Amino acid sequence: MHCLCLSLVGMLVFNGAAQAEALLLAKEYQQQNVLGWAMSEKLDGVRAFWNTRQLLSRNGYAFTPPPEFTRDFPPFALDGELYSGRGQFERISAVVRSYRGDWSKLKLHVFDVPEAPGNLYERLAVLQKWLDAHPQANIVCIPQQPVHDFAQVQAFLRQIEAGGGEGVMLRDPKAPYQGGRSNQLLKLKSVHDAECTVTAHHPGKGKYTGRLGAFSCRNEDGEFRIGSGLSDAERSNPPPVGTVITYRYRGFTAKGLPRFPTYLRVRSDP
C-alpha cells in the first residue's frame, strides 16, 4: 500500500487556490484497462475540500466544524471525505449539516493533495509527511494499492462489499489533479448509483392510495420514473419537486436510461 513519506527537497508551500467547484469527479468503470493504476476503498461519506482556511462542500458551501477539528490541518489544499465508518452516511450527513453537530468521530479521509507536485503517490506523501509531524490531526491518508491485474480488483471489491462497504475507486496515479468528470478516476460497484432531479409526483394505487406511488426524475440522459425504495413515511412525505436525489440502478436500457432505478435518499451534502 502506498501513502508513504517520500524524501522532499525544500519547503513546499501551496496557496489553496483550487476551488471546491472544480473538484475531481469519477466516471463509472466500463472495462477500461486499469493495469498499473491505484485502487482504494470508495468511502460513503460527505465530500469535503480543505482550502487551507476552511472545509467546503462539493458545491462550495462552508462546513462549520468546531475550531479544534481543523486546528492541525496543513497549509495546503486537501480533497477527501468526511467519514467515520461504513454504513454511517446518514449520521455523518446529519453531523456536518448541523451548526452544532458532534464531529468527534469524524476525520477527513484524504485521497489527493491537489496542488502538490508529482504523481498521486508523491502528492499523498506530502500529506503523510505532515501527519508524521502532526499525528493528532483529524486526517487519514487513504491507502492506495497498485493494481497488478483485474482479478485483484475484483477480490478487493468482494472483500469491501462483504464488510458492508461501498465499492472501489480506481485512479491513474500518473495523471495530475484536474477538476471535473475524469477518465482518470473510475468507481466500481456491483450496484451503481447516480443523481437526478425530481420533476413530478404520481399518486399511488392499492395500498399506496393517498400517498406517493412513484415520481418522475430527470438526469442528463432523459426522464424516467422511480417507484421503489421508498419507505411508507417517504411516500407520505416525498421529496418535493426540484429535489436532487440519489438512486441505485443496474445498467441501462436500450434508450440509455437507468434500468431498475431504486430510490436511495435525498442528496444531503450542501
Side-chain angles (χ1 to χ4, degrees), residues 172-235:
D172 181 355
K174 301 185 296 296
Y177 186 100
Q178 292 181 328
R181 198 72 62 181
S182 174
N183 290 314
Q184 278 69 53
L185 177 65
L186 306 174
K187 54 185 176 181
L188 171 64
K189 300 193 294 182
S190 294
V191 179
H192 307 288
D193 63 50
E195 295 171 351
C196 62
T197 302
V198 176
T199 58
H201 291 169
H202 305 288
K205 300 177 181 179
K207 69 176 182 177
Y208 295 138
T209 298
R211 293 182 288 176
L212 179 79
F215 47 72
S216 292
C217 196
R218 176 173 290 278
N219 63 15
E220 61 271 19
D221 297 312
E223 191 157 323
F224 52 96
R225 284 196 182 196
I226 298 178
S228 60
L230 292 141
S231 67
D232 287 345
E234 288 164 334
R235 290 185 185 278

Side-chain angles (χ1 to χ4, degrees), residues 134-172:
H134 302 82
Q136 71 278 17
N138 291 308
I139 297 172
V140 173
C141 187
I142 297 176
Q144 303 289 330
Q145 299 185 47
V147 174
H148 304 298
D149 56 54
F150 192 67
Q152 176 196 10
V153 177
Q154 292 174 309
F156 188 45
L157 176 63
R158 289 194 296 270
Q159 174 189 336
I160 289 171
E161 292 183 335
E166 277 282 290
V168 175
M169 300 302 297
L170 298 159
R171 181 84 181 272
D172 181 355

Side-chain angles (χ1 to χ4, degrees), residues 66 69 91-92 94-96 98-106:
F69 185 83
R91 192 194 75 81
I92 297 167
V95 167
V96 302
S98 171
Y99 185 71
R100 298 184 182 276
D102 179 8
W103 287 62
S104 61
K105 293 182 171 59
L106 296 184

Side-chain angles (χ1 to χ4, degrees), residues 22-191:
L23 295 184
L24 174 66
L25 300 174
K27 292 187 176 182
E28 297 280 354
Y29 172 79
Q30 295 180 328
Q31 310 300 318
Q32 295 95 327
N33 180 9
V34 294
L35 184 65
W37 283 31
M39 68 178 182
S40 62
E41 180 173 350
K42 183 183 186 301
L43 304 182
D44 190 22
V46 173
R47 186 77 174 267
F49 183 86
W50 170 248
N51 70 353
T52 76
R53 299 177 303 279
Q54 58 188 164
L55 282 168
L56 302 177
S57 76
R58 183 172 65 173
N59 292 324
Y61 294 99
F63 293 115
T64 57
E68 59 270 19
F69 185 83
T70 58
R71 181 174 297 149
D72 298 299
F73 275 37
F76 47 85
L78 303 172
D79 190 4
E81 297 260 332
L82 291 166
Y83 182 72
S84 58
R86 292 170 175 170
Q88 298 182 32
F89 175 83
E90 298 299 337
R91 192 194 75 81
I92 297 167
S93 179
V95 167
V96 302
R97 288 169 61 84
S98 171
Y99 185 71
R100 298 184 182 276
D102 179 8
W103 287 62
S104 61
K105 293 182 171 59
L106 296 184
K107 291 183 184 292
L108 180 65
H109 290 245
V110 174
F111 41 74
D112 211 329
V113 181
E115 298 170 4
N119 63 32
L120 175 64
Y121 300 127
E122 292 167 333
R123 295 195 299 271
L124 288 173
V126 174
L127 171 61
Q128 189 60 57
K129 183 176 182 180
W130 175 269
L131 294 180
D132 290 343
H134 302 82
Q136 71 278 17
N138 291 308
I139 297 172
V140 173
C141 187
I142 297 176
Q144 303 289 330
Q145 299 185 47
V147 174
H148 304 298
D149 56 54
F150 192 67
Q152 176 196 10
V153 177
Q154 292 174 309
F156 188 45
L157 176 63
R158 289 194 296 270
Q159 174 189 336
I160 289 171
E161 292 183 335
E166 277 282 290
V168 175
M169 300 302 297
L170 298 159
R171 181 84 181 272
D172 181 355
K174 301 185 296 296
Y177 186 100
Q178 292 181 328
R181 198 72 62 181
S182 174
N183 290 314
Q184 278 69 53
L185 177 65
L186 306 174
K187 54 185 176 181
L188 171 64
K189 300 193 294 182
S190 294
V191 179

